[in-house]
Amino acid sequence: MFSRGRSLQSVRAQRRRRRNFKIKLAAAILLIILFFGGLVFLLHLKNIRIQKVYPEGNKFLSDEEVRASVRDHLSGSAFLLFPKDNIFFYPRSAIEKAFLSKYPEIKTINVSFRDFESITVKLVERQQKALWCQTLSQSELPPCYLIDENGLIFRPAGEYSLSTFIRFTGGVSGDPINVQMMPSDEFQTDLLFTDALRKENLSIISVSLKEGGVREGELSVGGKIIWNADQDLSVALENLKTLLSNPSFKGKDKNGTVAVQYIDIQNSNKIFYKVK
């Protein structure tokens, strides 16, 4: 009798434990549902959802273009529950990566919190240093594109086609956007060289890129200066200055203006030129 009594008590205790466990489990599930339900409700509150986008530093891209691209990433919900435009969960990294992929004119981007209803999109755009044009035709305005300080072609020139930037042509085939026209160090060297020539009253208005690193720079006064990307341009410049100052140099008109068909400075030891 004693053994059977203990057995009944044990069964009843097990039943109580199971019932208590089920009650606690149900309560825990209810709390989780209430928690997530409350969280979803809070995340949908209007005063913590992004209503405004403030672009900064943009010149090539319009404010509305920036805002429209951001809105594309803020529409809809994540996991069908959380609004993507919530200030705490908006896809900041995805927005930044998308901008860098879509717009070659953007060098860096930072998307940041402004207040609980707005974000700031701070852009650093590439700076134009020259133009790349499909041709150097003087009779009509050819399609031209902007080049940054590293030699990257990043945007159609538009109104800048009429600017005083040096024009490059050649060296690129197909769609030029987001194409490295030449290695960065070569491009910067060419810009420094043409600037040095300008100080010697030899303004270069365009540069044609030829095979083997040959550059043909068209002078504003007519004629060409020919150099090579592989040579020491500091030496070439000094040799050229020596030539121009030599009284026996025949490539100047009566006003002292350089008047040549070309000056070829590719050879470190000799300079070849032909007068008009």
Side-chain angles (χ1 to χ4, degrees):
M1 293 293 293
F2 179 74
S3 177
R4 290 181 61 189
R6 291 190 60 184
S7 178
L8 288 173
Q9 290 178 355
S10 177
V11 170
R12 290 171 182 169
Q14 288 179 356
R15 288 176 178 173
R16 283 196 301 269
R17 285 195 295 270
R18 289 173 184 169
R19 185 169 59 249
N20 290 338
F21 173 76
K22 291 179 180 179
I23 293 173
K24 290 178 180 179
L25 179 61
I29 292 173
L30 179 61
L31 286 174
I32 291 173
I33 292 173
L34 290 175
F35 172 78
F36 278 100
L39 179 62
V40 170
F41 173 77
L42 290 174
L43 292 178
H44 279 79
L45 291 176
K46 186 176 180 180
N47 58 357
I48 56 170
R49 296 177 67 178
I50 298 169
Q51 308 293 324
K52 296 179 180 179
V53 176
Y54 292 91
E56 290 184 3
N58 53 307
K59 180 176 65 173
F60 296 122
L61 301 182
S62 67
D63 287 355
E64 187 51 41
E65 195 171 5
V66 174
R67 293 188 181 106
S69 293
V70 171
R71 290 192 197 104
D72 288 343
H73 290 81
L74 297 181
S75 60
S77 300
F79 308 109
L80 302 177
L81 293 173
F82 308 115
K84 290 183 179 180
D85 61 357
N86 183 277
I87 194 65
F88 296 109
F89 295 102
Y90 71 95
R92 181 178 64 84
S93 295
I95 292 172
E96 293 175 345
K97 290 178 180 178
F99 265 81
L100 292 174
S101 175
K102 184 177 181 180
Y103 301 108
E105 50 268 83
I106 296 176
K107 195 172 184 179
T108 64
I109 176 175
N110 179 260
V111 180
S112 60
F113 173 93
R114 185 182 181 100
D115 58 45
F116 288 105
E117 296 182 1
S118 59
I119 57 176
T120 297
V121 179
K122 187 173 183 179
L123 304 173
V124 176
E125 295 181 331
R126 299 183 185 278
Q127 298 297 309
Q128 65 276 18
K129 292 296 182 179
L131 297 173
W132 181 87
C133 301
Q134 291 183 352
T135 69
L136 296 178
S137 172
Q138 300 298 322
S139 60
E140 58 180 308
L141 192 64
C144 293
Y145 302 82
L146 300 180
I147 309 173
D148 77 352
E149 69 275 11
N150 293 313
L152 180 76
I153 302 171
F154 66 92
R155 185 181 176 88
E159 62 186 84
Y160 292 97
S161 294
L162 301 173
S163 69
T164 57
F165 290 117
I166 292 178
R167 299 182 178 210
F168 286 79
T169 190
V172 176
S173 60
D175 184 1
I177 295 295
N178 215 18
V179 171
Q180 189 75 32
M181 182 183 65
M182 67 176 77
S184 176
D185 57 340
E186 288 185 15
F187 179 65
Q188 292 170 6
T189 298
D190 282 347
L191 288 184
L192 289 173
F193 182 61
T194 56
D195 186 59
L197 290 176
R198 179 184 57 80
K199 294 175 181 178
E200 299 298 323
N201 297 317
L202 295 173
S203 294
I204 297 289
I205 59 175
S206 65
V207 178
S208 295
L209 306 179
K210 305 296 184 179
E211 293 184 1
V214 176
R215 276 76 159 124
E216 292 185 359
E218 182 181 356
L219 293 165
S220 61
V221 294
K224 298 178 180 180
I225 293 183
I226 304 171
W227 70 94
N228 196 287
D230 294 332
Q231 69 184 117
D232 187 339
L233 291 178
S234 61
V235 173
L237 180 63
E238 290 303 315
N239 291 340
L240 180 60
K241 289 164 65 176
T242 299
L243 172 69
L244 297 177
S245 62
N246 192 320
S248 64
F249 176 58
K250 302 183 184 301
K252 290 184 179 180
D253 61 20
K254 60 182 180 179
N255 298 317
T257 301
V258 172
V260 295
Q261 293 186 36
Y262 67 84
I263 301 177
D264 188 337
I265 59 174
Q266 293 182 85
N267 191 309
S268 300
N269 299 317
K270 291 182 179 181
I271 295 180
F272 303 92
Y273 68 92
K274 183 176 182 179
V275 300
K276 290 182 178 179

